[in-house]
Short mmCIF file of all heavy atoms in Angstrom, two decimals:
data_model
loop_
_atom_site.label_atom_id
_atom_site.label_comp_id
_atom_site.label_asym_id
_atom_site.label_seq_id
_atom_site.Cartn_x
_atom_site.Cartn_y
_atom_site.Cartn_z
N ARG A 29 3.70 0.30 10.01
CA ARG A 29 3.29 1.07 8.84
C ARG A 29 3.90 0.49 7.56
O ARG A 29 3.22 0.34 6.56
CB ARG A 29 3.69 2.54 8.98
CG ARG A 29 2.80 3.28 9.96
CD ARG A 29 3.09 4.77 9.96
NE ARG A 29 2.84 5.40 8.68
CZ ARG A 29 1.64 5.71 8.19
NH1 ARG A 29 0.55 5.45 8.85
NH2 ARG A 29 1.55 6.33 7.01
N ALA A 32 2.10 -2.73 6.71
CA ALA A 32 0.74 -2.49 6.22
C ALA A 32 0.76 -1.98 4.79
O ALA A 32 -0.04 -2.44 3.95
CB ALA A 32 0.02 -1.50 7.15
N LEU A 33 1.63 -1.03 4.50
CA LEU A 33 1.70 -0.52 3.13
C LEU A 33 2.21 -1.59 2.15
O LEU A 33 1.68 -1.68 1.03
CB LEU A 33 2.62 0.71 3.09
CG LEU A 33 2.05 1.94 3.83
CD1 LEU A 33 3.11 3.04 3.90
CD2 LEU A 33 0.78 2.44 3.18
N CYS A 36 -0.72 -3.90 1.43
CA CYS A 36 -1.64 -3.27 0.48
C CYS A 36 -1.10 -3.35 -0.94
O CYS A 36 -1.84 -3.64 -1.87
CB CYS A 36 -1.91 -1.82 0.89
SG CYS A 36 -2.90 -1.68 2.38
N ASP A 37 0.18 -3.09 -1.11
CA ASP A 37 0.81 -3.19 -2.43
C ASP A 37 0.66 -4.63 -2.98
O ASP A 37 0.37 -4.82 -4.16
CB ASP A 37 2.28 -2.81 -2.39
CG ASP A 37 2.50 -1.31 -2.21
OD1 ASP A 37 1.53 -0.53 -2.42
OD2 ASP A 37 3.62 -0.93 -1.81
N GLU A 40 -2.98 -5.30 -3.98
CA GLU A 40 -3.29 -4.64 -5.24
C GLU A 40 -2.64 -5.38 -6.43
O GLU A 40 -3.28 -5.53 -7.48
CB GLU A 40 -2.82 -3.18 -5.20
CG GLU A 40 -3.69 -2.32 -4.27
CD GLU A 40 -3.18 -0.90 -4.13
OE1 GLU A 40 -2.17 -0.55 -4.77
OE2 GLU A 40 -3.80 -0.18 -3.35
N VAL A 67 -3.71 -2.11 9.37
CA VAL A 67 -3.75 -1.72 7.96
C VAL A 67 -4.71 -0.56 7.77
O VAL A 67 -4.39 0.44 7.12
CB VAL A 67 -4.14 -2.90 7.04
CG1 VAL A 67 -4.36 -2.44 5.61
CG2 VAL A 67 -3.07 -3.99 7.10
N LEU A 68 -5.89 -0.66 8.35
CA LEU A 68 -6.89 0.41 8.21
C LEU A 68 -6.38 1.73 8.79
O LEU A 68 -6.58 2.79 8.20
CB LEU A 68 -8.19 0.00 8.88
CG LEU A 68 -8.93 -1.16 8.21
CD1 LEU A 68 -10.17 -1.55 9.02
CD2 LEU A 68 -9.30 -0.83 6.79
N GLU A 69 -5.73 1.66 9.93
CA GLU A 69 -5.17 2.89 10.54
C GLU A 69 -4.10 3.51 9.65
O GLU A 69 -4.02 4.72 9.52
CB GLU A 69 -4.61 2.59 11.93
CG GLU A 69 -5.68 2.41 12.98
CD GLU A 69 -6.50 3.66 13.17
OE1 GLU A 69 -5.94 4.76 13.37
OE2 GLU A 69 -7.74 3.57 13.12
N THR A 70 -3.29 2.66 9.04
CA THR A 70 -2.26 3.17 8.13
C THR A 70 -2.87 3.86 6.94
O THR A 70 -2.45 4.93 6.53
CB THR A 70 -1.32 2.02 7.69
OG1 THR A 70 -0.68 1.50 8.86
CG2 THR A 70 -0.29 2.49 6.70
N LEU A 71 -3.88 3.24 6.38
CA LEU A 71 -4.54 3.82 5.20
C LEU A 71 -5.32 5.07 5.54
O LEU A 71 -5.44 5.98 4.70
CB LEU A 71 -5.44 2.78 4.54
CG LEU A 71 -4.74 1.57 3.95
CD1 LEU A 71 -5.76 0.58 3.41
CD2 LEU A 71 -3.76 1.97 2.88
N ARG A 72 -5.83 5.13 6.72
CA ARG A 72 -6.61 6.28 7.15
C ARG A 72 -5.74 7.53 7.20
O ARG A 72 -6.17 8.65 6.94
CB ARG A 72 -7.24 6.03 8.52
CG ARG A 72 -8.14 7.13 9.02
CD ARG A 72 -8.81 6.76 10.32
NE ARG A 72 -7.89 6.60 11.40
CZ ARG A 72 -7.45 7.59 12.17
NH1 ARG A 72 -7.86 8.80 11.96
NH2 ARG A 72 -6.62 7.35 13.15
N GLU A 73 -4.47 7.33 7.55
CA GLU A 73 -3.59 8.46 7.73
C GLU A 73 -2.28 8.22 6.93
O GLU A 73 -1.28 7.83 7.48
CB GLU A 73 -3.28 8.63 9.23
CG GLU A 73 -2.69 9.92 9.59
CD GLU A 73 -2.71 10.14 11.09
OE1 GLU A 73 -2.78 9.17 11.86
OE2 GLU A 73 -2.65 11.31 11.47
N ARG A 74 -2.36 8.45 5.62
CA ARG A 74 -1.20 8.20 4.74
C ARG A 74 0.00 9.03 5.15
O ARG A 74 1.12 8.58 5.14
CB ARG A 74 -1.55 8.48 3.29
CG ARG A 74 -2.43 7.46 2.65
CD ARG A 74 -1.60 6.21 2.38
NE ARG A 74 -2.41 5.27 1.62
CZ ARG A 74 -1.90 4.42 0.78
NH1 ARG A 74 -0.61 4.36 0.58
NH2 ARG A 74 -2.67 3.59 0.14
N ARG A 75 -0.25 10.32 5.45
CA ARG A 75 0.84 11.16 5.95
C ARG A 75 0.84 10.97 7.45
O ARG A 75 -0.17 11.15 8.12
CB ARG A 75 0.57 12.62 5.61
CG ARG A 75 0.66 12.84 4.10
CD ARG A 75 0.64 14.29 3.78
NE ARG A 75 1.72 14.90 4.59
CZ ARG A 75 2.02 16.17 4.58
NH1 ARG A 75 1.36 17.00 3.84
NH2 ARG A 75 3.01 16.64 5.31
N TRP A 76 1.96 10.63 7.99
CA TRP A 76 2.08 10.24 9.39
C TRP A 76 2.77 11.33 10.18
O TRP A 76 4.00 11.34 10.26
CB TRP A 76 2.82 8.92 9.46
CG TRP A 76 2.53 8.09 10.67
CD1 TRP A 76 1.36 7.95 11.32
CD2 TRP A 76 3.47 7.28 11.36
NE1 TRP A 76 1.48 7.08 12.36
CE2 TRP A 76 2.78 6.64 12.41
CE3 TRP A 76 4.81 7.01 11.19
CZ2 TRP A 76 3.38 5.77 13.29
CZ3 TRP A 76 5.42 6.12 12.07
CH2 TRP A 76 4.72 5.50 13.09
N PRO A 77 2.01 12.26 10.77
CA PRO A 77 2.64 13.32 11.53
C PRO A 77 3.29 12.78 12.80
O PRO A 77 2.91 11.71 13.30
CB PRO A 77 1.48 14.25 11.87
CG PRO A 77 0.26 13.43 11.77
CD PRO A 77 0.55 12.33 10.79
#
Side-chain angles (χ1 to χ4, degrees):
R29 286 187 61 77
L33 293 171
C36 290
D37 288 343
E40 289 175 3
V67 172
L68 293 176
E69 284 298 309
T70 297
L71 294 176
R72 184 175 65 85
E73 196 167 22
R74 286 287 187 150
R75 293 189 54 179
W76 205 36

